[in-house]
C-alpha cells in the first residue's frame, strides 16, 4: 500500500486519478545530471539517404502495439520515413526484438546495444525522435536534448504519461 506520491507539480495531471495523497514539489526541483562522457558532445549530424530518419529511443518493453499502430499510421501517410529503433537489447533478445519489429516495418533499422558514443552517433543522425506512450523515457529524452534531436511526445493524464512533455516544456 502506498500512502503518498511525491513529484513535481506539473507531472500529476488530474490528481483525482490517484488513491495516494499527492505531494507536489515545486516545478524544476528535480535535477537531471548528464552522464559524464569521455568524448566531445558534437552537433547533430543528418545522414542524407533520401528518407526521413525517425528515432525510437526506447527500451523494448515500451514499444507496444498501440504505439506501433501509431507508427504504422505515420508510415502510411509518409512512406519516405525510416524508423530507427534503439531497444537496448543484445544477443538473442535483440534478434527476437528485431524480428518482431520487422513484422511491422520490414525496412526498420533495429540497433543493438552499443557503446554510448556509438548510440548517440546513431541517434543524432536522425531528424527527430518519437517518445513512446503510455510510458515515456526520461534518459532517452535527455540524450535527445543533449544531442539536439527534437522530440515529439503524446501527453496523457497520469504521471507516467506526462514526464516527457513536462521535460520538453522546461
Amino acid at each position: 500500500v502506498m500512502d503518498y506520491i511525491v513529484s513535481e507539480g506539473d507531472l500529476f495531471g488530474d490528481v483525482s486519478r490517484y488513491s495516494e495523497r499527492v505531494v507536489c514539489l515545486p516545478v524544476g526541483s528535480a535535477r537531471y545530471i548528464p552522464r559524464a562522457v569521455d568524448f566531445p558532445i558534437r552537433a547533430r549530424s543528418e545522414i542524407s539517404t533520401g528518407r526521413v530518419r525517425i528515432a525510437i529511443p526506447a527500451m523494448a518493453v515500451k514499444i507496444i502495439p498501440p504505439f506501433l499502430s501509431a507508427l504504422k499510421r505515420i508510415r502510411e501517410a509518409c512512406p519516405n520515413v525510416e524508423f530507427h529503433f534503439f531497444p537496448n537489447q543484445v544477443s538473442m533478445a535483440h534478434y527476437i526484438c528485431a524480428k518482431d519489429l520487422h513484422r511491422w516495418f520490414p525496412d526498420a533499422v533495429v540497433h543493438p546495444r552499443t557503446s554510448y558514443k556509438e548510440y548517440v552517433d546513431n541517434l543524432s543522425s536522425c531528424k527527430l525522435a518519437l517518445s513512446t506512450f503510455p510510458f515515456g523515457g526520461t534518459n532517452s529524452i535527455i540524450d535527445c536534448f543533449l544531442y539536439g534531436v527534437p522530440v515529439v511526445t503524446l501527453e496523457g493524464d497520469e504521471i507516467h504519461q506526462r514526464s516527457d512533455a513536462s521535460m520538453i516544456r522546461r
Side-chain angles (χ1 to χ4, degrees):
V1 173
M2 304 295 269
D3 296 321
Y4 295 90
I5 182 167
V6 179
S7 191
E8 295 182 46
D10 65 337
L11 291 177
F12 288 111
D14 181 2
V15 295
S16 70
R17 298 176 79 79
Y18 303 97
S19 59
E20 304 84 5
R21 180 178 286 173
V22 174
V23 178
C24 295
L25 299 176
V27 173
S29 59
R31 297 284 181 232
Y32 298 99
I33 301 170
R35 68 182 85 212
V37 295
D38 59 357
F39 54 89
I41 295 177
R42 62 178 176 78
R44 186 169 68 90
S45 66
E46 292 183 35
I47 295 174
S48 179
T49 61
R51 303 191 77 189
V52 178
R53 296 167 58 114
I54 298 179
I56 315 299
M59 297 287 291
V61 297
K62 295 181 180 182
I63 304 170
I64 59 174
F67 178 72
L68 290 168
S69 293
L71 294 183
K72 194 107 172 143
R73 288 193 305 275
I74 291 169
R75 182 58 176 278
E76 289 165 358
C78 308
N80 206 29
V81 162
E82 180 178 84
F83 292 120
H84 284 253
F85 291 90
F86 298 87
N88 198 25
Q89 301 291 308
V90 295
S91 190
M92 188 58 82
H94 177 263
Y95 171 79
I96 293 167
C97 182
K99 187 176 178 184
D100 287 345
L101 288 169
H102 286 139
R103 284 190 195 122
W104 287 82
F105 309 101
D107 62 345
V109 178
V110 183
H111 297 273
R113 184 184 306 158
T114 62
S115 69
Y116 183 67
K117 181 177 183 346
E118 188 175 342
Y119 160 67
V120 294
D121 283 348
N122 288 326
L123 177 66
S124 68
S125 72
C126 294
K127 188 76 165 174
L128 64 103
L130 298 179
S131 175
T132 54
F133 59 81
F135 298 97
T138 301
N139 292 322
S140 299
I141 298 303
I142 291 171
D143 289 336
C144 289
F145 289 168
L146 284 174
Y147 295 93
V149 179
V151 178
V152 177
T153 190
L154 174 66
E155 187 170 26
D157 294 329
E158 297 183 26
I159 197 166
H160 63 277
Q161 299 171 320
R162 300 179 63 80
S163 60
D164 291 357
S166 173
M167 290 171 57
I168 290 169
R169 275 194 295 275
R170 293 176 199 180

